[in-house]
Amino acid sequence: MSVKVELKIWRYDSSTGERALKPYEVDISDEMTLLDTLDIVKDRVDGTLAYRKSCRMMICGSCGMRVDGAAVLACKVRMTDIVKDGRVPVVSAMGNLPVVKDLVVDMDPFWHKMRQIEPYLEPRLDRATEGENIVPQERMDAIHKESLCINCGCCVSECNSMESDPDFLGPAALAKGFRFVGDVRDNAKIERLERYSEEHGLWDCTRCYFCNERCPKGVDPRDAIAKLGAEAMKVGIDRDMGAKHAKWFVTSAKTTGWLRETELVPKTQGVVSALKEVKFAMGLLKHGKVPPPVPPHVAKHVGEARALYDIVKMQDRQGAAGIVQVEKPLSRIEFEGEEAKDPYGEGSFPRPHLPGEGPEDDVEEEAES
Ligand code: SF4
Ligand code: SF4
Ligand code: FES
């Protein structure tokens, strides 16, 4: 069925600096995507319109652009969905990357950051003669999402940290970084974690989650950054203020079950730096904005928080494994309605368990009997 659609496109010419929002009206078939619609505009209305495309099937990552300010893959979104209820969408180039012409951005800064994280395997050459390096399925599952990235830049377009700090490594590069940190065949895990933990690295993410929201391939770059942070802390790379901040949350949960905010600043920034904030802290205290540190407020069921801490330690889930573990049941919820699958079935990480309920407890019981 043929439908008439309206859209507006931000036109830009970097050679003249001219910029204009231009309206278009074209006839399309109702199954067409935004990319098909742009093809029709270019073909029948204005051949000077510039945009990138290649595969038309969400694989090459060329057609990233913004619709009403949010990044999409033009070949993924159906035009009839975005013009619903008479809406006239505004199509523009992606954010955080320099615009070359109309909807085409310069991807050089994107590739520069990709190169910075060294996106290739550093193999264990000392084992090269030992034979085939067989990777267990459960270890590949841990980096499955990050391996889905098609380098489209939609996450980078929406990244808040990158907007304020263009040198921030950014969601796409860091997600790629975890793809190698989490790969058991890689021999440079510690060096990578050291490098990614430097200034403009993983701890500069503000956790706005826009990258997760806009990624068209389900990579969830923010989750990958969380996994990098967890792995860095697990191996003792915790000098950054962000890492100290995260560590204090864990200590708070384990000791009182509440966030001990009054100690958060000295524990994170150090005593000298915290002294400069005393006046500000006293003001907060006076207005009842922070609980008095003494006596510390202890949560009624703090035992549960402590037990959880012990379980995570005992089952060695402090690093990325703990986060991967949580993704399993979450993905099950996402696909609710489909055939129910055991999220900890064959090929998964081991099922988490309470003390006394684990497989090793059965072994112990058998040995005792
Ligand atoms: S969560 Fe972090 S990396 Fe993702 S968009 Fe926000 S600031 Fe950027
Ligand atoms: S993480 Fe997602 S949004 Fe970012 S570049 Fe890769 S596929 Fe695109
Ligand atoms: S054209 Fe290849 S991802 Fe859209």
Side-chain angles (χ1 to χ4, degrees), residues 268-332:
T268 303
Q269 298 183 9
V271 178
V272 177
S273 187
L275 284 174
K276 292 183 196 150
E277 308 289 346
V278 166
K279 196 171 161 212
F280 178 64
M282 294 311 285
L284 288 178
L285 199 61
K286 199 168 131 200
H287 290 96
K289 300 283 186 194
V290 283
V294 187
H297 181 61
V298 179
K300 194 170 161 199
H301 299 296
V302 66
E304 288 179 18
R306 290 176 188 163
L308 184 60
Y309 175 88
D310 291 340
I311 287 172
V312 168
K313 271 258 189 224
M314 182 182 73
Q315 296 178 20
D316 194 26
R317 294 177 201 274
Q318 305 97 307
I323 301 172
V324 174
Q325 191 77 70
V326 176
E327 284 173 343
K328 296 272 170 195
L330 283 181
S331 64
R332 188 185 185 197

Side-chain angles (χ1 to χ4, degrees), residues 254-276:
K254 160 176 89 157
T255 49
T256 60
W258 286 90
L259 176 60
R260 286 155 59 185
E261 281 179 277
T262 31
E263 291 151 88
L264 185 64
V265 177
K267 294 289 178 194
T268 303
Q269 298 183 9
V271 178
V272 177
S273 187
L275 284 174
K276 292 183 196 150

Side-chain angles (χ1 to χ4, degrees), residues 7 21 62 111 124 140 149 161-162 226 240 268 270 328 331 337:
L7 71 161
L21 184 61
S62 308
W111 296 120
R124 295 279 316 254
M140 288 317 283
C149 176
S161 290
M162 216 169 232
D240 190 277
T268 303
K328 296 272 170 195
S331 64

Side-chain angles (χ1 to χ4, degrees), residues 11-12 22 24 72 75 80 83 92 108 121 138 154 201 203 229 244 249 255 260 268 297 303:
R11 305 293 304 269
Y12 175 71
K22 297 227 170 132
Y24 298 93
V72 297
C75 66
T80 44
V83 296
S92 56
D108 269 2
L121 207 66
E138 65 177 41
C154 288
W203 295 108
K244 292 193 178 110
F249 270 66
T255 49
R260 286 155 59 185
T268 303
H297 181 61

